[in-house]
């Protein structure tokens, strides 16, 4: 979600006929995420994220090909024809429509922004001029049908997405194609849909310029374009803004309240193959007389497990001001702004909405849940604290642990062996000089970075979990050491062990952390 300073669209979009040649030129000039940081320096690079271009303009006053490309595609300034010819395969770029010539100058027709891909890959996101989020265009009115570049929401979704090799993936509402680009790295077939046909054209450009495989591109709303097809992975950064009317297709859902997000989540279940994941960013209403957790629980489709994380909550005035600024209404006539502000508040009042939540939704289709063999695992929580992206492995591990816990009763739990997860630290909290701490905290330094308070038994148990002894044997030893009845310890401790497993502090032997911290079956 971003902004554009123009109110008209270019007459035509580039074609990817010579995208490989253009890509070679961009890489040869080091027009990459790392190259930009080296050229601009951290302050100027950070300023671009705030839509401030002056520091970057000052840093690109030289004659190098990299400086020319930054001014042309990133800062969207006219550059001299001879400089453009030195930096680009200019005849092909002109013929394909990436740039246009005006007298002795060359101007870009689209925003081309370097993006650091997976495993150090160099990708490029193509979007409308002035529409790269945090880019050169600044905040202003947006023309209908514009296609935005990659922003914070896009990178958040990419970071939380489960990355395993799959046969099929669906990017629903593809925009400039960032999610399809990520999916192309681990899915045999990628399908990308969008209600806006221009977005499909931009996705084609993004994939081609990034050297990725082509995707199946389908026009239409929600799941309509894919008929009855099912997928191993579905991702969507939908137009989730809850607004009075759908005037901006890139952000406004076109349904009342949070109905678009609800519909998307509820319909995703039947579009997933068994074991497949659907992952979304969403907004949801906090309605008077209703718990927000209950609202979201009703969204979870039948036959699915779910993990829903609320990352932020804004009251209706904060939310209204955010999106009126996003669309540039605050820069227009003050009376018109006040009227628009009032319409938003009227809409929220009519729906008894006092606040709006934002967060992540992950659902996983589970045949055992669908058949009634086991109850669904549905975790809905508020977690506004810092996390460590990427979280895809963390999310997959969560569902793996849920499967484990559902299949192990207390007796099986005590018979099993565990290891302490990597990078878990113990903190002792108490008054200075006290003989014993008031309590002990286990803290994760990766993933969700959770912390949990444990008693002396829990701390001792976690500390000796190295996979050699069963949980029951460890509790027996602790009971002997502390002079406690081991039978009572075996009776009261499984609940604490379950919590430590559920939150990822303890890993059952046979479910070991991989190189990226994920949990996988033996």
């Amino acid at each position: 979600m971003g902004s554009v300073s123009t109110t008209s669209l270019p007459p035509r979009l580039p074609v990817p006929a010579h995208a490989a040649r253009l890509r070679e030129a961009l890489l040869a000039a080091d027009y990459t995420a790392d190259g930009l940081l080296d050229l601009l320096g951290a302050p100027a690079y950070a300023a671009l994220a705030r839509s401030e271009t002056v520091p970057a303009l000052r840093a690109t006053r030289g004659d190098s090909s990299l400086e020319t490309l930054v001014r042309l595609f990133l800062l969207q300034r006219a550059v001299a024809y001879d400089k453009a010819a030195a930096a680009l395969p200019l005849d092909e770029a002109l013929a394909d429509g990436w740039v246009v010539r005006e007298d002795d100058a060359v101007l870009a027709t689209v925003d081309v922004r370097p993006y650091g891909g997976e495993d150090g890959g160099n990708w490029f996101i193509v979007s409308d001029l002035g529409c790269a989020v945090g880019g050169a265009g600044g905040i202003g009115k947006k023309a209908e049908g514009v296609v935005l570049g990659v922003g914070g929401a896009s990178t958040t979704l990419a970071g939380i997405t489960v990355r395993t090799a799959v046969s099929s993936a669906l990017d629903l509402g593809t925009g400039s194609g960032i999610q399809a680009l990520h999916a192309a790295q681990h899915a045999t077939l990628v399908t990308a849909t969008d209600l806006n046909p221009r977005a499909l054209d931009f996705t084609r450009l993004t994939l081609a310029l990034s050297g990725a495989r082509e995707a199946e591109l389908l026009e239409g709303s929600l799941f309509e374009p894919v008929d009855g097809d099912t997928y191993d992975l579905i991702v969507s950064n939908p137009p989730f803004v809850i607004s009075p009317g759908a005037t901006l297709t890139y952000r406004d859902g076109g349904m009342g309240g949070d109905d678009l997000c609800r519909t998307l989540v509820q319909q995703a279940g039947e579009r997933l193959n068994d074991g497949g994941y659907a992952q979304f960013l969403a907004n949801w209403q906090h309605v008077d007389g209703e718990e927000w957790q209950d609202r979201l629980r009703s969204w979870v489709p039948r036959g699915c497990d779910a993990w829903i994380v609320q990352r932020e909550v804004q009251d209706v005035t904060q939310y209204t001001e955010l999106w009126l600024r996003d669309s540039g209404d605050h820069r227009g006539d003050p009376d018109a702004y006040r009227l628009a502000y009032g319409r938003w508040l009227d809409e929220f009042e009519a729906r008894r909405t006092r606040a709006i939540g934002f967060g992540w939704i992950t659902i996983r289709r589970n045949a055992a849940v669908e058949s009634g063999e086991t109850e669904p695992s549905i975790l809905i929580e508020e977690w506004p604290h810092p996390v460590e992206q990427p979280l895809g492995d963390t999310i997959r591990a969560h569902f793996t642990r849920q499967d484990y816990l559902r299949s192990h009763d207390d007796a099986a739990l005590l018979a099993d062996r565990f290891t302490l997860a990597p990078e878990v630290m113990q903190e002792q909290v108490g008054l200075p000089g006290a003989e014993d701490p008031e309590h002990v905290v286990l803290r994760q330094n990766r993933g969700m970075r959770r912390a949990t308070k444990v008693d002396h038994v829990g701390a001792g148990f976690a500390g000796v979990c190295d996979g050699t002894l069963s949980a029951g044997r460890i509790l027996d030893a602790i009971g002997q050491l502390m002079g406690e009845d081991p039978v009572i310890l075996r009776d009261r401790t499984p609940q604490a062990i379950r919590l430590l497993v559920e939150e990822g502090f303890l890993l059952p032997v046979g479910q070991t952390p991989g190189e990226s911290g994920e949990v996988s079956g033996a």
Side-chain angles (χ1 to χ4, degrees):
M1 303 210 174
S3 54
V4 59
S5 58
T6 57
T7 56
S8 61
L9 301 174
R12 69 184 179 97
L13 293 177
V15 296
H18 301 93
R21 286 262 291 142
L22 178 56
R23 173 177 171 80
E24 290 175 3
L26 297 178
L27 295 177
D30 201 19
Y31 187 67
T32 63
D34 289 340
L36 288 184
L37 183 59
D38 290 341
L39 172 67
L40 302 179
Y45 192 80
L48 282 176
R50 303 190 300 271
S51 301
E52 297 292 346
T53 61
V54 172
L57 287 167
R58 291 172 64 86
T60 55
R61 290 175 289 188
D63 295 325
S64 72
S65 292
L66 178 56
E67 288 166 296
T68 297
L69 293 172
V70 171
R71 294 178 74 89
L72 179 65
F73 285 121
L74 192 67
L75 303 177
Q76 292 145 27
R77 296 298 193 274
V79 302
Y81 182 90
D82 58 341
K83 290 185 177 180
L88 294 170
L90 190 53
D91 289 342
E92 290 95 332
L94 286 166
D96 291 353
W98 294 92
V99 296
V100 294
R101 181 175 183 177
E102 291 188 1
D103 299 324
D104 292 327
V106 172
L107 296 93
T109 61
V110 289
D111 184 297
V112 176
R113 192 153 300 243
Y115 180 83
E118 296 171 18
D119 299 323
N122 292 307
W123 299 345
F124 300 95
I125 310 302
V126 188
S127 63
D128 270 315
L129 291 173
C131 294
V133 178
I139 296 176
K141 281 289 184 182
K142 301 168 184 63
E144 181 66 14
V146 298
V147 176
L148 276 64
V150 62
S154 304
T155 55
T156 293
L157 179 59
I160 68 171
T161 299
V162 174
R163 302 292 175 196
T164 55
V166 295
S167 296
S168 57
L170 171 64
D171 175 14
L172 195 151
T174 187
S176 56
I178 178 59
Q179 310 305 331
L181 180 55
H182 275 282
Q185 313 308 307
H186 63 100
T188 303
L189 173 65
V190 176
T191 300
T193 72
D194 206 290
L195 184 62
N196 180 2
R198 285 174 53 80
L200 302 177
D201 292 331
F202 273 109
T203 294
R204 183 179 291 109
L205 295 172
T206 289
L207 293 172
L209 197 56
S210 298
R213 297 193 310 273
E214 293 184 2
E216 178 185 37
L217 305 176
L218 302 175
E219 181 182 347
S221 177
L222 298 179
F223 290 103
E224 292 173 2
V226 300
D227 196 19
D229 294 341
T230 58
Y231 301 88
D232 302 312
L233 174 67
I234 299 172
V235 292
S236 183
N237 177 18
F240 52 65
V241 176
I242 300 171
S243 61
T247 58
L248 299 171
T249 56
Y250 77 92
R251 73 169 204 191
D252 298 326
M255 297 185 185
D258 52 18
D259 282 355
L260 182 133
C261 291
R262 175 185 57 78
T263 301
L264 186 60
V265 174
Q266 289 179 335
Q267 292 182 355
E270 62 186 12
R271 302 292 182 174
L272 286 173
N273 297 323
D274 183 40
Y277 291 89
Q279 299 185 265
F280 313 96
L281 300 185
N283 277 182
W284 45 79
Q285 297 165 230
H286 285 227
V287 177
D288 286 333
E290 175 187 67
E291 295 294 332
W292 65 271
Q293 295 94 334
D294 293 339
R295 185 179 192 85
L296 290 174
R297 189 170 286 106
S298 72
W299 292 12
V300 178
R302 181 181 177 276
C304 292
D305 299 315
W307 184 14
I308 301 174
V309 182
Q310 180 167 273
R311 294 288 289 159
E312 183 180 359
V313 180
Q314 290 185 321
D315 66 50
V316 293
T317 60
Q318 293 172 309
Y319 190 81
T320 298
E321 291 160 14
L322 170 66
W323 295 111
L324 287 178
R325 285 185 171 87
D326 172 78
S327 58
D329 287 86
H330 67 302
R331 292 184 172 181
D333 176 63
D335 289 335
Y337 174 75
R338 284 191 287 271
L339 286 173
Y341 200 138
R343 284 195 298 272
W344 282 66
L345 295 186
D346 288 343
E347 178 78 6
F348 290 132
E349 185 176 341
R351 295 182 177 277
R352 298 185 295 110
T353 301
R354 65 179 184 278
I356 306 294
F358 168 82
W360 320 323
I361 297 176
T362 299
I363 63 172
R364 183 189 62 165
R365 190 171 181 87
N366 188 335
V369 170
E370 188 168 13
S371 66
E373 180 182 337
T374 187
E375 290 296 313
S377 166
I378 301 176
L379 174 61
I380 302 173
E381 62 177 332
E382 185 164 19
W383 191 257
H385 312 294
V387 298
E388 182 187 55
Q389 287 274 35
L391 281 168
D393 291 335
T394 298
I395 289 174
R396 182 160 65 97
H398 164 84
F399 287 95
T400 301
R401 293 194 303 271
Q402 295 303 314
D403 290 341
Y404 171 86
L405 291 171
R406 282 182 293 192
S407 64
H408 286 68
D409 60 17
D410 287 356
L413 203 68
L414 291 174
D416 215 341
R417 294 170 292 138
F418 301 89
T419 59
L420 192 65
E423 297 191 35
V424 172
M425 304 298 292
Q426 176 178 302
E427 301 174 359
Q428 295 186 347
V429 181
L431 294 174
E435 183 176 348
D436 295 312
E438 293 180 10
H439 59 265
V440 177
V441 173
L442 299 181
R443 188 178 301 278
Q444 300 169 349
N445 288 319
R446 299 176 63 180
M448 294 293 284
R449 295 180 175 174
R450 296 188 187 276
T452 188
K453 187 188 298 185
V454 293
D455 60 16
H456 295 297
V457 172
F461 180 88
V464 298
C465 278
D466 59 3
T468 58
L469 295 176
S470 70
R473 292 281 301 277
I474 292 174
L475 289 177
D476 291 344
I478 290 175
Q480 275 192 327
L481 185 65
M482 301 180 64
E484 294 197 33
D485 187 338
V487 175
I488 295 177
L489 280 184
R490 281 174 172 260
D491 184 58
R492 80 180 191 208
T493 307
Q495 183 176 355
I497 296 175
R498 286 186 181 278
L499 179 63
L500 292 175
V501 172
E502 181 176 0
E503 295 190 341
F505 291 94
L506 292 180
L507 304 176
V509 169
Q511 297 181 354
T512 55
E515 292 180 356
S516 300
E518 75 272 16
V519 172
S520 56

